[in-house]
Amino acid sequence: MDGKIAIILFSTLLPAFVVGYVLRTNGKTINFAAVGGTVVYVVSVLLIFGSIYAAGAMNMRADDLVLILPFITAGVFYFLLKGMKSGNEK
């Protein structure tokens, strides 16, 4: 596995697990928490690959964004998913 791809795939795992765990401990169902963690993982990977391809237009090195984008994505999706009424335990 290429080193850059390994960093991308493994750096997005921790924020995805944290979002899933926190959603589950805040009263969401396990299915909702698993889907939320998966959405965070997929969106983080897509944003990182998108920033690598768009690095020239941003006039910035894409390596600088690889480690910060998953945490920003996790924070945004956590606050979006936390307030939803669907997925609550009964």
Side-chain angles (χ1 to χ4, degrees), residues 18-29 33 78 89:
V18 168
V19 167
Y21 175 75
V22 171
L23 285 173
R24 178 67 180 137
T25 57
N26 282 338
K28 300 292 184 183
T29 62
Y78 168 70
E89 293 273 352

Side-chain angles (χ1 to χ4, degrees), residues 7-8 11-12 44-45 47-73:
I7 290 173
I8 290 170
S11 69
T12 55
S44 295
V45 169
L47 281 175
I48 289 173
F49 278 120
S51 69
I52 288 172
Y53 290 120
M58 292 187 304
N59 197 18
M60 181 179 193
R61 287 184 34 197
D63 298 343
D64 298 336
L65 294 174
V66 167
L67 295 176
I68 193 76
L69 274 176
F71 293 104
I72 293 171
T73 306

